[in-house]
Amino acid sequence: MPMSTEFTTILLDFDRTDHVATITLNRPDRLNAFDRTMCEEMTAAWRIVKLDAGVHAVVLRAAGDRAFSAGLDIKASYGQPDNVWNHEDPGEALSPKWQKMFKPVICAVQGMCTAGAFYFLNEADVVICSQSATFFDSHVSAGLVCALEPIGLMRRIGLGETLRIALMGNDERVSADTALRIGLVSEIVPPQQLWARAHEIAATIAAKPPSATQGTVKAIWESLDKPYRAALDQGLIYTRLGNPLGKAELDALPPRPAAPPRIR
């Protein structure tokens, strides 16, 4: 049976059979906008799943039908310090990679996804969405500089598409079909199948040796910050460290019949 850990703005559940943890943004009345409490709870949740050896993959999803997340809750003070040089980027708290959590993250998006919500997408490893999903960034329409979320977004969809989303603001929304075409998501499913499909992907990944999957995530993400040759050199080290561990984990698994691969 799934097990649950209590928070106030998110839900954290564990499927011990499938080795999957599920984090659910749980402020549907506020369109799952994040405040300081949610940021602190997300940091704690990433740490919990990072240190839990029984978790091999994570699903990130959101409650309600209207929105995956509306970004930062503008009706609640985030509580930045008076000294501008001590201001914090909320995205660091929301980010699995900032917490050095390299277990694969599958993000399931429904409804509206805007502004700070891109923090969640930017560092997910697999992003899928429902047919109802729309994506946009409202910053410039509110007179705000759109400078943080695009940094991660450019890594997913390139400069041109990122600039269009950032500059069009509230006047254009990216549909699910367009999100698939530009590489923001990798799959579209009917709304009623979204959560089940996200769990299915996570469980499929979690069934593989965790040293192999986590080493893969770590190597690929860290390569983005390095020159080409340096990334290859570090990747070689990771294969030498991780391959013996992954092979030992694979050998310890009970034999199972090979299933035909899914064609995507």
Side-chain angles (χ1 to χ4, degrees):
M1 292 293 291
M3 298 172 59
S4 180
T5 299
E6 293 298 325
F7 292 100
T8 61
T9 66
I10 64 175
L11 303 174
L12 176 58
D13 299 283
F14 300 91
D15 186 325
R16 295 300 182 185
T17 300
D18 288 342
H19 300 286
V20 173
T22 298
I23 300 173
T24 306
L25 310 182
N26 194 34
R27 301 183 76 210
D29 57 321
R30 300 292 307 137
L31 300 180
N32 295 311
F34 56 82
D35 56 7
R36 179 172 285 276
T37 299
M38 181 182 283
C39 288
E40 291 172 350
E41 292 187 348
M42 285 298 303
T43 298
W46 290 130
R47 180 169 177 78
I48 289 170
V49 299
K50 170 186 174 180
L51 298 177
D52 190 328
V55 173
H56 298 173
V58 186
V59 171
L60 176 62
R61 64 190 194 184
D65 298 323
R66 295 177 59 199
F68 172 75
S69 175
L72 179 65
D73 189 344
I74 60 174
K75 293 186 177 180
S77 173
Y78 186 76
Q80 293 281 17
D82 292 335
N83 186 336
V84 67
W85 303 114
N86 291 332
H87 282 198
E88 304 168 351
D89 176 9
E92 294 182 16
L94 302 173
S95 158
K97 307 315 187 274
W98 271 100
Q99 317 310 321
K100 298 187 182 301
M101 204 295 295
F102 292 106
K103 296 178 181 182
V105 177
I106 292 77
C107 184
V109 179
Q110 84 286 350
M112 178 174 63
C113 178
T114 182
F118 283 108
Y119 282 127
F120 295 112
L121 275 63
N122 286 348
E123 292 202 358
D125 302 298
V126 178
V127 183
I128 67 173
C129 73
S130 73
Q131 296 159 334
S132 67
T134 59
F135 306 83
F136 65 104
D137 196 316
S138 56
H139 279 96
V140 295
S141 293
L144 304 175
V145 175
C146 185
L148 298 174
E149 295 85 349
I151 296 171
L153 192 59
M154 280 189 289
R155 290 175 161 182
R156 304 196 77 93
I157 62 174
L159 177 63
E161 294 291 353
T162 298
L163 279 167
R164 178 164 179 158
I165 291 172
L167 294 174
M168 290 298 287
N170 289 336
D171 292 314
E172 183 174 87
R173 300 195 178 193
V174 172
S175 68
D177 287 338
T178 300
L180 180 64
R181 176 176 60 80
I182 66 178
L184 183 55
V185 305
S186 59
E187 188 173 341
I188 304 170
V189 298
Q192 66 274 15
Q193 298 177 18
L194 180 65
W195 285 11
R197 179 61 182 142
H199 185 91
E200 180 184 20
I201 294 171
T204 300
I205 294 171
K208 297 171 173 59
S211 290
T213 56
Q214 292 170 43
T216 296
V217 170
K218 181 176 173 67
I220 291 174
W221 278 96
E222 290 185 352
S223 75
L224 297 176
D225 297 322
K226 297 183 180 300
Y228 179 77
R229 286 300 317 177
L232 288 174
D233 287 342
Q234 179 169 290
L236 180 61
I237 294 172
Y238 283 174
T239 63
R240 296 301 180 264
L241 292 172
N243 287 359
L245 299 174
K247 287 291 292 180
E249 291 166 351
L250 183 64
D251 292 341
L253 291 174
R256 58 178 181 174
R262 182 180 185 273
I263 304 299
R264 178 161 68 90

